[in-house]
Amino acid sequence: TLFLTAVNVAPTCEAAGQQAAARESAAMTGSQADAILQELKEIRKLLQSIDKKSVAQAPRRPSVPPTAKVSVKDAQALGASDAPVTVVEFTDYQCPYCLRFIQQTFPRLKEQFIDKGKVRWVIRDMPLAFHKNARKAAQAAHCAAEQDRFWEMRDVLFANARKLEQENLRKYAQLLGLETTAFVSCLASDRYLATIDKSIQGAGGVQITGTPTFVVARSSASDWVEGDRVVGARDYKIFEQHIRKQLAQQRATAD
């Protein structure tokens, strides 16, 4: 009987406490609600004022222009040297969007424009800092170029974009039939790092910050071309529009 009484009393005490707290809360709400509400309104106004001031004082990022002027000096190029249009591609061998472009869009562009002598395709290195194997992969492509196998190495690197550790690069050289000792020596020398860094700096100078980024331009006899900026792994139609625009402008100038 004592146990049952204790159990029954406990909820009664708890309920009494809740009722007392409710009475205190109701009394406080009745006397201070207006003051609290007014204070909250003032705090809200203050926060809104601070937010607007911060936005007004924040430096505005410069808008990215639709065109860019980039160097093609000493860069690897595919296609006729006298092609009327030059496309410059800034790429990273670990970039999944670069890989998507290579797989889905580039083959058709090569067939329709590069192989037909209308476009010269130029590669510029832009290994991103958070891709730990991208710089060494770019070096591997340059080292393969010493044996005239740049484009073949480029294909292999993209096909193995998730396996670009240095120990694998030697295997890819062997797969392509390169003279392995010369390739490994080139890779160990880091002699193309300055070239790669210069390409990165050039990209940054014209606000190219991501890969892949392209510049579709009228070909020039100089080491520089200037043309439309195309950002991202866009579909074939986008590139076709920009290339045909450059071709049309060149025909108009010739007439």
Side-chain angles (χ1 to χ4, degrees):
T1 304
L2 180 62
F3 173 76
L4 292 175
T5 302
V7 171
N8 290 333
V9 169
T12 304
C13 293
E14 182 179 357
Q18 290 175 346
Q19 291 171 1
R23 285 195 298 272
E24 290 180 9
S25 175
M28 180 182 68
T29 302
S31 62
Q32 298 180 350
D34 291 341
I36 292 174
L37 183 60
Q38 183 61 35
E39 186 175 352
L40 289 173
K41 288 180 179 179
E42 294 299 325
I43 292 173
R44 183 177 180 181
K45 287 181 181 179
L46 178 61
L47 290 174
Q48 289 176 337
S49 174
I50 293 172
D51 187 52
K52 289 179 181 178
K53 187 176 180 181
S54 299
V55 171
Q57 292 179 347
R60 293 185 177 181
R61 296 180 64 183
S63 59
V64 177
T67 62
K69 184 176 182 179
V70 295
S71 172
V72 295
K73 184 178 181 181
D74 299 328
Q76 294 295 323
L78 182 67
S81 59
D82 60 348
V85 174
T86 295
V87 177
V88 183
E89 174 190 348
F90 288 85
T91 195
D92 174 320
Y93 293 103
Q94 271 191 278
C95 167
Y97 301 102
C98 299
L99 175 60
R100 188 171 73 183
F101 167 79
I102 291 299
Q103 292 177 333
Q104 298 180 5
T105 308
F106 183 72
R108 190 175 175 189
L109 289 171
K110 182 177 183 297
E111 178 186 354
Q112 295 297 319
F113 295 106
I114 300 173
D115 293 346
K116 294 181 179 180
K118 297 178 180 179
V119 168
R120 180 181 60 148
W121 200 272
V122 175
I123 302 300
R124 307 271 13 178
D125 297 303
M126 194 177 163
L128 302 177
F130 53 86
H131 288 156
K132 66 178 183 178
N133 296 319
R135 281 168 65 84
K136 187 59 74 171
Q139 288 178 258
H142 284 281
C143 290
E146 290 187 354
Q147 301 185 45
D148 297 322
R149 304 299 294 275
F150 172 85
W151 295 96
E152 292 87 348
M153 178 60 81
R154 168 181 163 86
D155 290 343
V156 171
L157 293 173
F158 274 122
N160 296 276
R162 295 184 179 182
K163 299 177 181 179
L164 296 179
E165 293 79 10
Q166 188 165 346
E167 59 269 21
N168 289 324
L169 299 178
R170 178 189 178 110
K171 298 177 184 177
Y172 303 149
Q174 293 173 330
L175 178 68
L176 293 174
L178 299 183
E179 205 292 300
T180 309
T181 301
F183 175 84
V184 171
S185 175
C186 172
L187 205 58
S189 72
D190 289 336
R191 59 173 168 261
Y192 287 105
L193 281 182
T195 300
I196 294 167
D197 288 340
K198 188 175 181 179
S199 179
I200 296 171
Q201 292 166 5
V206 291
Q207 296 174 261
I208 293 175
T209 58
T211 56
T213 296
F214 309 83
V215 176
V216 184
R218 179 175 177 176
S219 296
S220 169
S222 75
D223 293 331
W224 297 83
V225 295
E226 183 172 6
D228 297 335
R229 184 190 305 253
V230 179
V231 180
R234 309 299 296 275
D235 61 28
Y236 172 83
K237 286 293 184 182
I238 297 296
F239 288 95
E240 182 185 38
Q241 290 170 7
H242 284 283
I243 292 170
R244 293 199 183 283
K245 172 188 169 183
Q246 294 294 336
L247 291 171
Q249 289 178 349
Q250 184 150 344
R251 285 195 296 269
T253 301
D255 294 340

